[in-house]
Structure formats: structure tokens, C-alpha cells
Amino acid sequence: MATTDPARPGFVLPLLLLAGFRTLIDDLHAELAQQGHPELRPLHGFVLQAVGPHGTTATELGQRLGVSKQAAGKTVDRLVTLGYLERADDPRDARRKLVRMTARGHDGLARSASVFDTLRDRWSATLGPKRVAAIEDDLRTVAAADLFRLDVPGWFGT
Amino acid sequence: MATTDPARPGFVLPLLLLAGFRTLIDDLHAELAQQGHPELRPLHGFVLQAVGPHGTTATELGQRLGVSKQAAGKTVDRLVTLGYLERADDPRDARRKLVRMTARGHDGLARSASVFDTLRDRWSATLGPKRVAAIEDDLRTVAAADLFRLDVPGWFGT
DNA sequence: ACGATTTCGACAACCACGTTGACGATCGTA
DNA sequence: TACGATCGTCAACGTGGTTGTCGAAATCGT
């Protein structure tokens, strides 16, 4: 395997982390596509979760996701087009536009969560529940040690 | 932490995987920037490694990275502009353009590898070497179980 | 040995997702 | 009431992908 030269051990860890994440995401979307959500893209699940049950605004969503309000607004646009979100005026502040999940949005989020749960169960079946929990604990530890926020990321920044 | 609802345990694992990857990558590039490679972008290290010491072609690189030859070609263009790669004609096949690392390319790759190694050491210092090795083993296991290739991915596909 | 097929690299158009900067409308307050 | 901060949107741009097309060069089959 040309990309995993054993003489460079440090390269392995990030690659494996990424690979683990990707397989999870790929499996999720393969499953979601079969459950009636073929157009849901990788980040959309996180976005829906960030919107939350009570709704929010584009600006708030942006800072919650760690991206600009413009980027958040664009993503909302797309999710609105796809029927997962809807916009409404805030009666108490004419500047704000509330962003809420539609029924389809709730369905997509619920299915995402449940598919993720079964994928985690699959990992547990392969590795044993203790190992999975250990991975989560360890990652939480290094994450905390690196003073990072668990919010959904800005990916690879520009 | 709004994005990590404990009622949805499945969401945690992918988030942590991604977060771990991202902190590694961010730390790498913060360090690389200080070592004279500020314009090296997250994927460039993987691309350089995929080029390898003997050079390759754009098409070959594309399939090695799991992206189209056009995408690989564009990335090569950028790396050539930045001085990390160079193109040369293949004397045995006038269609092929060999892609090779320059001295700067080798330097960048070597530094990436060494920074990754020290980051891994830092994880070892925090978690203990056994835990880090266990994470790698476990991820390798689920990866293998999911019959996936350890090559650098096409990220989130379209 | 020569024509058909395949392969390689490049070009163009496009999409997704992010960035800054600017700007009008609206709100809160001195 | 007038000013400053905030919200959403528009525009321009960068980056990393995609597909389709095409000419040039190599390979293969008769």
C-alpha cells in the first residue's frame, strides 16, 4: 500500500482517524439513501442537529458550526430547497429569520441518529463495547488536551 | 455543547474521529508553517507521499488518491506552482508527463512525517503508548471489516 | 504496416462549500 | 431622535472536486 509507508508511523494515525470517519459517513449515507433521503449530504446531518428542535437563526448556526454566517446561510438555503428546513420571520425582531426543521428534517435527523447508533453497535460487535468506549474516551481526552471545541468544524480552513 | 446531544450516542463517535483528525492536521500545519512551509495545505502532505520518491503520473496519482485524473492534475499544477513538484517528459512515452518531487517537496514531506511522529508521541504522552496503539489496531480492524482501502480518500464524494 | 482502439494530459463547464467585503433594514440605547 | 450594533443577503473569489471532450501518442489486430 503505497500511501502507508511503515517507515513513517506518524502518518498512520491521521489516516486511520480519517478512514474511520469516512467509513462511518459513507455507510450512513448509503443507508439514508435507502431510507428515502438520497440527497442528504455528509454535513447535513450535523447541520440539522445544530439547528435543534427549537430552531435558530443563520448567524447563530454559523457560530455554532464554526463557519461564517454567509456559509451557514448558503447551507440553510440548500436544506430549504431540499425540504429539510424552513424559514420564518421572527415576530419580535424583523431582522432575524428563524430557521426551523420541517417534518422531513426531523425524519432525516432521526434516521441519521438511529443509523449512527446501529453503526456504533456494529463497531461494538467487532471490537467489543469496551474498546469502542475506550476509543471515545481517549479521543475526548486528546481533544480536551488540545483545547478544542466539539462543535462541527470548519473542516480544512482556507 | 449543543452539537453533542447525549441522547444520540451514535453522533459522538464520528464527531470524535473527525475532531481527532482535524486537531492532528491543524497542529501539523501550524508547525509546518513555522518550519518554512506556510503554503502547504492539508491534503498536500498526502499527495506528496502518494507521489513517492520515484515519481508518478497524474493519472496514476489520481487512482492512487481515489479521485479523477483531472482533479489530480489540478492539484499537481498547484504543487508545481508552489515549488513542491516538477513535471518532466517521459522519454519512453510521449503522452505521459512524469511528476516528481523537488528538493522542497522532499523537505516538506520529511517535515510532515516528522511532525506527525511528534504529534503521535504527544498523544502517547497523554494516553500512554498502549492506548494509542490500541486505537490504531481497532481502527485498522473496523477498516478491514469494512473492506476499505487505506489510500487517501476522495473525502466526501459528490 | 497500417488502421482501429486505447490511453494520457489538458481544457471547459459546472457544483459544493468555504472565505471577505459591503450594504440596507431593523433594533437598542445614549 | 439619531447613532451604532446586529441580521440577512449579495457579490466576488478560492479551492477541491466532478463530467465531458478532444488531440496526440502508443498499442493492438489483421
Side-chain angles (χ1 to χ4, degrees), chain B residues 57-73:
Chain B
T57 66
T59 295
E60 207 176 283
L61 190 59
Q63 48 200 64
R64 206 175 286 178
L65 296 174
V67 301
S68 65
K69 59 181 180 175
Q70 293 90 334

Side-chain angles (χ1 to χ4, degrees), chain A residues 46-98:
Chain A
F46 295 111
V47 174
L48 289 180
Q49 198 185 346
V51 168
H54 309 307
T56 180
T57 67
T59 295
E60 207 175 284
L61 189 59
Q63 48 200 64
R64 206 175 285 180
L65 295 174
V67 301
S68 64
K69 60 180 182 176
Q70 293 92 330
K74 281 195 201 179
T75 301
V76 169
D77 284 345
R78 212 162 301 117
L79 263 341
V80 167
T81 304
L82 293 175
Y84 290 91
L85 294 178
E86 61 184 4
R87 281 187 227 258
D89 292 328
D90 185 332
R92 296 146 29 170
D93 186 339
R95 294 169 305 176
R96 293 161 51 96
K97 297 277 172 69
L98 274 345

Side-chain angles (χ1 to χ4, degrees), chain B residues 53-130:
Chain B
H54 309 307
T56 180
T57 66
T59 295
E60 207 176 283
L61 190 59
Q63 48 200 64
R64 206 175 286 178
L65 296 174
V67 301
S68 65
K69 59 181 180 175
Q70 293 90 334
K74 280 195 202 178
T75 302
V76 169
D77 283 346
R78 211 161 300 118
L79 262 344
V80 166
T81 304
L82 294 175
Y84 290 91
L85 295 177
E86 60 185 3
R87 280 187 227 257
D89 292 329
D90 185 332
R92 298 144 31 166
D93 187 338
R95 293 170 307 177
R96 292 160 52 93
K97 298 278 172 67
L98 274 346
V99 175
R100 282 196 309 258
M101 272 190 273
T102 61
R104 180 166 179 78
H106 278 106
D107 185 66
L109 181 55
R111 287 177 192 274
S112 291
S114 110
V115 172
F116 268 139
D117 286 347
T118 62
L119 290 175
R120 210 197 96 114
D121 290 345
R122 197 183 301 167
W123 282 38
S124 293
T126 306
L127 302 176
K130 294 209 199 80

Side-chain angles (χ1 to χ4, degrees), chain A residues 25 29 40-48 75 79 152-153 155, chain B residues 156:
Chain A
I25 293 294
H29 286 89
L40 225 38
R41 311 259 312 110
L43 322 83
H44 292 168
F46 295 111
V47 174
L48 289 180
T75 301
L79 263 341
V152 173
W155 305 89
Chain B
F156 328 92

